[in-house]
Amino acid sequence: MPFLGQDWRSPGWRWVKTEDGWKRCEPFSPALEDGNNQMNGISHTVILSGDDDDEEIYGTEDCEFAAKKRKKDHLGNNTDSQCFYREKWIYVHKESTRERHGYCTLGEAFNRLDFSSAIQDIRRFNYVVKLLQLIAKSQLTSLSGAAQKNYFNILDKIVRKVMEDQYNPRLIKDLLQDLSSTLCILIRGVGKSVLVGNINIWICRLETILLWQQQLNNLQMNKQVNNGLTLSDLPLHMLNNILYRFSDGWDIITLGQVTPTLYMLSEDRQLWKKLCQYHFAEKQFCRHLILSEKGHIDWKLMYFALQKYYPIKEQYGDTLHFCRHCSILFWK
């Protein structure tokens, strides 16, 4: 049975009848579809943790109490603690209403959506990293104290994942570089007055970022020993198809350094032409034409030249979705 809250425009809760009375359950729970009355999940869960290993999960009854505790900053003086909600979707309040005074801020959305487990999904990893990079460039000071703690906690998990899985370290290096530059400006300049918390905490965070950068620079890729089929054993047309799947020019150059055959394929003019046509428009080609010694267009140099003037097309496996009819922000 749906139950509408104070604001009739917001999505209502789902309630199931049990022996102890009515209880709130997760929206679109499989328990409702199967006809069971048992709770398979908790829609609103507050997690308070100091480390990744010991996490205390509070149920729906404790949510309001934990939220009040967070607002009054009674969570303790431990800077590593975090408070965020695990929700599959959140309602985006665009304006202040009679029933609700306030808006859905970036920090609120960042806290309530489950970005912590989203980085474990390979389809969402690049998107979450890009979001953290955009926040580091311009929106870091707009986050609340709890959102900033959650931000650095998720960043810590991202660095650990990259160190263990060795997945896309160059992307994380760019993120840490932008974040360290922003923090240096905020700590040394006038912006330190807008930072939430003691200035010594931010100095420790900056030192942690510099340590992460050093660890990533010293990261050595593990060589996998396998006596089976290797990349070099594939036919040329299959290797060529692999190169055509890349959307980043630096990835093509990196792969071309593996073997002489891949280097020859990575220098193909048609490959770089397709890459330029994917990211940029024809009008942009005419403004930055680069010719080789033979009089042909050097598409490889054109790609990196155009990259300096125009943004490249971003490619993500999975992104956040927004429903304009019900103003719901959710993972697909």
Side-chain angles (χ1 to χ4, degrees), residues 11-12 14 25-33 88-89 328:
R14 285 180 177 269
C25 70
E26 182 179 359
F28 311 106
S29 173
L32 293 177
E33 299 177 1
K88 293 184 177 179
W89 50 265
I328 292 295

Side-chain angles (χ1 to χ4, degrees), residues 10-105:
S10 64
W13 303 106
R14 285 180 177 269
W15 297 76
V16 291
K17 191 173 183 180
T18 62
E19 296 179 356
D20 300 330
W22 290 92
K23 288 188 177 181
R24 189 167 66 189
C25 70
E26 182 179 359
F28 311 106
S29 173
L32 293 177
E33 299 177 1
D34 299 336
N36 299 327
N37 291 331
Q38 298 179 353
M39 302 269 293
N40 283 350
I42 301 174
S43 60
H44 285 255
T45 304
V46 178
I47 297 181
L48 306 175
S49 65
D51 299 325
D52 293 339
D53 296 331
D54 54 327
E55 292 185 350
E56 299 180 7
I57 300 180
Y58 293 85
T60 313
E61 296 81 3
D62 301 325
C63 280
E64 296 180 359
F65 174 73
K68 293 178 181 178
K69 211 175 180 185
R70 174 176 60 85
K71 291 179 182 179
K72 294 180 180 180
D73 200 20
H74 287 167
L75 295 177
N77 297 325
N78 185 11
T79 57
D80 294 332
S81 64
Q82 67 169 5
C83 176
F84 61 94
Y85 298 87
R86 281 189 175 179
E87 293 188 12
K88 293 184 177 179
W89 50 265
I90 62 170
Y91 180 76
V92 178
H93 296 271
K94 297 182 179 179
E95 57 185 9
S96 183
T97 63
R98 181 178 298 179
E99 295 83 3
R100 175 185 173 90
H101 300 283
Y103 302 83
C104 180
T105 62

Side-chain angles (χ1 to χ4, degrees), residues 19-292:
E19 296 179 356
D20 300 330
W22 290 92
K23 288 188 177 181
R24 189 167 66 189
C25 70
E26 182 179 359
F28 311 106
S29 173
L32 293 177
E33 299 177 1
D34 299 336
N36 299 327
N37 291 331
Q38 298 179 353
M39 302 269 293
N40 283 350
I42 301 174
S43 60
H44 285 255
T45 304
V46 178
I47 297 181
L48 306 175
S49 65
D51 299 325
D52 293 339
D53 296 331
D54 54 327
E55 292 185 350
E56 299 180 7
I57 300 180
Y58 293 85
T60 313
E61 296 81 3
D62 301 325
C63 280
E64 296 180 359
F65 174 73
K68 293 178 181 178
K69 211 175 180 185
R70 174 176 60 85
K71 291 179 182 179
K72 294 180 180 180
D73 200 20
H74 287 167
L75 295 177
N77 297 325
N78 185 11
T79 57
D80 294 332
S81 64
Q82 67 169 5
C83 176
F84 61 94
Y85 298 87
R86 281 189 175 179
E87 293 188 12
K88 293 184 177 179
W89 50 265
I90 62 170
Y91 180 76
V92 178
H93 296 271
K94 297 182 179 179
E95 57 185 9
S96 183
T97 63
R98 181 178 298 179
E99 295 83 3
R100 175 185 173 90
H101 300 283
Y103 302 83
C104 180
T105 62
L106 174 64
E108 183 181 356
F110 189 75
N111 278 341
R112 294 173 64 183
L113 285 174
D114 194 5
F115 286 99
S116 182
S117 59
I119 60 176
Q120 305 300 329
D121 191 340
I122 195 66
R123 299 168 300 175
R124 302 175 181 174
F125 181 82
N126 291 354
Y127 179 82
V128 176
V129 172
K130 188 64 176 180
L131 176 62
L132 264 64
Q133 189 173 10
L134 291 175
I135 292 176
K137 288 181 178 179
S138 58
Q139 300 294 329
L140 185 62
T141 55
S142 65
L143 298 180
S144 63
Q148 290 175 356
K149 291 180 183 178
N150 191 20
Y151 180 92
F152 283 95
N153 183 273
I154 294 175
L155 184 60
D156 180 38
K157 293 183 178 181
I158 289 177
V159 174
R160 291 184 185 181
K161 179 179 176 59
V162 173
M163 296 296 294
E164 294 174 0
D165 302 345
Q166 300 178 351
Y167 174 74
N168 209 343
R170 180 166 50 85
L171 188 64
I172 315 302
K173 290 180 182 179
D174 295 340
L175 166 61
L176 295 178
Q177 181 63 36
D178 293 335
L179 184 58
S180 62
S181 302
T182 303
L183 288 184
C184 286
I185 296 173
L186 293 177
I187 291 175
R188 298 173 183 174
V190 218
K192 62 183 179 182
S193 57
V194 298
L195 293 176
V196 180
N198 194 301
I199 191 65
N200 294 325
I201 297 176
W202 288 97
I203 294 177
C204 292
R205 287 174 175 172
L206 180 59
E207 292 176 352
T208 305
I209 293 173
L210 297 177
L211 178 62
W212 286 339
Q213 289 179 318
Q214 184 179 0
Q215 291 176 351
L216 289 175
N217 291 331
N218 298 332
L219 180 64
Q220 298 291 334
M221 296 297 179
N222 297 329
K223 295 183 178 180
Q224 298 182 357
V225 179
N226 190 0
N227 297 327
L229 189 66
T230 62
L231 185 65
S232 306
D233 298 328
L234 295 176
L236 289 179
H237 71 278
M238 294 185 66
L239 294 175
N240 200 33
N241 288 335
I242 292 175
L243 287 170
Y244 271 84
R245 294 293 186 271
F246 286 107
S247 60
D248 194 327
W250 287 109
D251 292 334
I252 296 178
I253 293 178
T254 305
L255 184 60
Q257 296 174 352
V258 177
T259 61
T261 304
L262 288 172
Y263 175 77
M264 177 190 65
L265 295 175
S266 66
E267 294 295 321
D268 184 19
R269 291 181 61 254
Q270 191 67 20
L271 172 65
W272 291 98
K273 180 180 178 180
K274 292 288 184 182
L275 193 63
C276 289
Q277 292 175 345
Y278 174 77
H279 288 287
F280 310 106
E282 293 185 3
K283 294 181 179 179
Q284 299 169 346
F285 296 161
C286 302
R287 299 174 184 175
H288 305 278
L289 276 178
I290 300 178
L291 300 178
S292 62

